[in-house]
Amino acid sequence: MTKKNHYVEEGFRKRKNRFITVTFLLAVFVLMLSIAMLYLGNTRYSLSVIVRVLMGEQIQGASFSIRTLRYPRMLAGIMAGMAFGMAGSTFQTMLRNPLASPDIIGITSGSSVAAVFFILVLEVNTTVASIASILAGLLVACLIYVLSRGASFSGGKMILIGIGIQAMLNAVISYLLLRANQYDVPAALRWLSGSLNGIQSKDMAGLFWTVWIFGGLLFLLGRQLKILELGEHSAITLGLRTDQTRVLLVMCAVFLIAVATSVTGPISFVAFLSGPIAGWLAGKGISTILPAGLTGAVMVLLADIIGQYAFDTRFPVGIITGILGAPYLIYLLIRMNKSGGAA
């Protein structure tokens, strides 16, 4: 083995070890926050009681609080956080731009418009509104992709088109809120802020399987995603079918975003922040899909705990993540402006 090959192999081993360590620590952090969410509340139960309830034992008071209220909320935080994190990292890596997040380029707004329309105008149940928000998210993603395709795919064009569509969809949401019955508006606003309140176990099945199936596909496509990050010409030279791979990646990411949004509402900036944080922690050279998903879960769980217990007033999780994410967006825009548009 030559000296150069030795250094290359040693570097890869260090990156792999760092990736494994960071992923393990993030998983441990998710577990700790999950336990905290099951523990915290008006009544605090011991760990042994929590375990007994989760194992199916009926304990007066504790069974309802833990199994009906806290457990679905905790599970929704994990699954939604992972969905937003993995989808955001996929778009940012594929388009090679930190601004290419689903909540920046309009996909989340597409789901939101449909949900708000069905809640305020048609006044249907949440199940129908959830299905409509999923279909709308897919439709908006397809529209953005088709408009940005042209003669050849352009990530920059896709981002600009997405930002334009997002502005239009946000205007539609504002119009619907202004025209709606004032008694229906608070429910829509709570959903739009991104919240884990009121989530029940029956709401979780679709999100749970979506994360496992489409999140698993994104994880398996991690190598192809890293090749796409090299650029269109390099990816084609390496034998990658760029169009087919990109469509598959987009569809997986959009399903994750649309289903998560239909359950929790658009939790601000989780998709936007998870990828960069995971990349900073895990390093470069290996796909950060899984660390980004775990980072998203940490963000949602931690923000929900802060929103529920750190202030006199309880705030939805999306308010807290919005407060955390807005300064980073401003910093990123300033940095890109100084560097002439480069992230």
Side-chain angles (χ1 to χ4, degrees), residues 95 141-162 165 246 250:
L95 300 179
C142 291
L143 177 63
I144 294 172
Y145 183 80
V146 169
L147 292 176
S148 62
R149 186 68 179 84
S152 61
F153 179 81
S154 170
K157 190 192 300 182
M158 184 175 184
I159 294 171
L160 290 174
I161 290 172
I165 289 178
R246 193 178 290 111
V250 168

Side-chain angles (χ1 to χ4, degrees), residues 242-316:
T242 55
D243 285 339
Q244 294 91 326
T245 303
R246 193 178 290 111
V247 168
L248 184 57
L249 288 168
V250 168
M251 293 306 294
C252 289
V254 169
F255 264 106
L256 287 170
I257 283 291
V259 175
T261 302
S262 72
V263 174
T264 65
I267 302 179
S268 304
F269 291 116
V270 175
F272 181 56
L273 287 173
S274 297
I277 293 174
W280 176 68
L281 292 173
K284 298 181 179 180
I286 299 178
S287 173
T288 57
I289 291 295
L290 183 56
L294 292 171
T295 301
V298 168
M299 285 186 62
V300 173
L301 294 176
L302 184 59
D304 190 55
I305 291 173
I306 293 172
Q308 294 298 305
Y309 304 109
F311 307 98
D312 294 333
T313 302
R314 295 193 172 188
F315 295 100

Side-chain angles (χ1 to χ4, degrees), residues 79 203-216 256 259:
M79 293 293 109
D203 302 324
M204 289 304 304
L207 178 57
F208 180 83
W209 289 111
T210 298
V211 170
W212 274 103
I213 295 171
F214 293 102
L256 287 170
V259 175

Side-chain angles (χ1 to χ4, degrees), residues 69-136:
L69 301 178
R70 301 181 190 180
Y71 179 72
R73 186 187 191 98
M74 177 270 290
L75 191 59
I78 294 173
M79 293 293 109
M82 290 195 70
F84 286 124
M86 289 188 288
S89 178
T90 298
F91 274 101
Q92 289 166 331
T93 303
M94 181 178 64
L95 300 179
R96 298 186 296 165
N97 193 314
L99 285 176
S101 173
D103 47 1
I104 301 294
I105 63 175
I107 296 172
T108 305
S109 295
S111 295
S112 300
V113 165
V116 170
F117 178 79
F118 274 75
I119 292 172
L120 295 180
V121 179
L122 301 183
E123 298 182 353
V124 299
N125 59 51
T126 55
T127 301
V128 177
S130 296
I131 294 173
S133 69
I134 293 170
L135 295 176

